[in-house]
Amino acid sequence: MKKFIFIIFIPIFIFFIAALTLYNSAQKPYVKAEEKAAAAARNDAGIVTVTDFYLYHGQETYYVLKGQTEKNVEKVVWIPKDKKKKQTVRTYKEGVTKEQALKKLMSEQKPEELLSIKLGMEKNKPVWEITFVNSRQQLSYYYLLFDSGKWLKKIDNI
């Protein structure tokens, strides 16, 4: 009986260690991107505490950080992966909040499942990208302008 338990335990233990190693190696690029973006946000926008980080892959890749300055001002920084492009910095209360973006979506749509909501950049404009499954069980992407709260584009029924 002890041999049987030992024979079962060893493969499960090896599988667990392999899965943990795979997960850690998959997270390294994301963690590295967050650290690099946080350093840039500290230098360029004065953010001392990062509260949210989004890795956005739209037409271009952006690292987006939300955080607080020493004076407790909430700011958002959009950092393009392309070093030739300029960063965009806004105070959080200048734009539409996450809750306001969700409220606008809910007033117009009745999503079956909300998959994600994150800050990004489309056509050089800061946006909230809202990804959800609609009532017909199809994927939808809605882009709400951070500055004005108007829809930039809607992609339905994917």
Side-chain angles (χ1 to χ4, degrees):
M1 185 66 166
K2 289 181 181 180
K3 282 185 180 181
F4 179 74
I5 292 173
F6 188 70
I7 290 170
I8 297 296
F9 177 73
I10 293 295
I12 290 173
F13 181 74
I14 290 171
F15 175 78
F16 177 74
I17 295 300
L20 189 61
T21 303
L22 181 64
Y23 177 79
N24 283 337
S25 65
Q27 288 296 312
K28 281 182 184 177
Y30 184 83
V31 170
K32 188 176 179 181
E34 183 176 1
E35 289 170 354
K36 190 175 177 182
R42 273 192 280 289
N43 292 336
D44 300 336
I47 290 179
V48 293
T49 305
V50 175
T51 55
D52 290 309
F53 173 73
Y54 306 99
L55 182 55
Y56 180 78
H57 297 288
Q59 293 174 336
E60 297 175 38
T61 299
Y62 277 83
Y63 309 113
V64 185
L65 286 119
K66 180 181 150 204
Q68 293 185 330
T69 65
E70 286 183 0
K71 296 180 181 180
N72 289 329
V73 175
E74 277 189 303
K75 287 190 176 183
V76 182
V77 183
W78 288 262
I79 303 167
K81 185 175 182 181
D82 182 356
K83 304 279 187 228
K84 297 174 188 170
K85 297 208 175 244
K86 207 168 106 176
Q87 292 183 11
T88 303
V89 180
R90 301 274 196 284
T91 58
Y92 190 61
K93 63 182 178 179
E94 266 183 69
V96 175
T97 66
K98 187 176 192 176
E99 292 76 20
Q100 291 169 328
L102 279 172
K103 188 175 179 181
K104 181 165 176 104
L105 173 72
M106 296 300 186
S107 71
E108 296 180 21
Q109 293 287 322
K110 302 294 181 230
E112 285 287 317
E113 181 182 359
L114 182 65
L115 300 176
S116 72
I117 178 166
K118 62 182 173 181
L119 287 164
M121 185 73 73
E122 285 291 321
K123 301 178 183 176
N124 294 320
K125 296 176 183 173
V127 295
W128 282 104
E129 178 191 60
I130 307 171
T131 309
F132 63 96
V133 176
N134 65 22
S135 59
R136 292 179 295 229
Q137 299 300 308
Q138 296 172 319
L139 188 61
S140 297
Y141 290 89
Y142 279 31
Y143 297 85
L144 184 74
L145 292 169
F146 177 79
D147 294 326
S148 68
K150 295 181 181 176
W151 293 115
L152 175 65
K153 67 180 173 179
K154 298 176 181 178
I155 303 171
D156 279 312
N157 305 325
I158 295 177

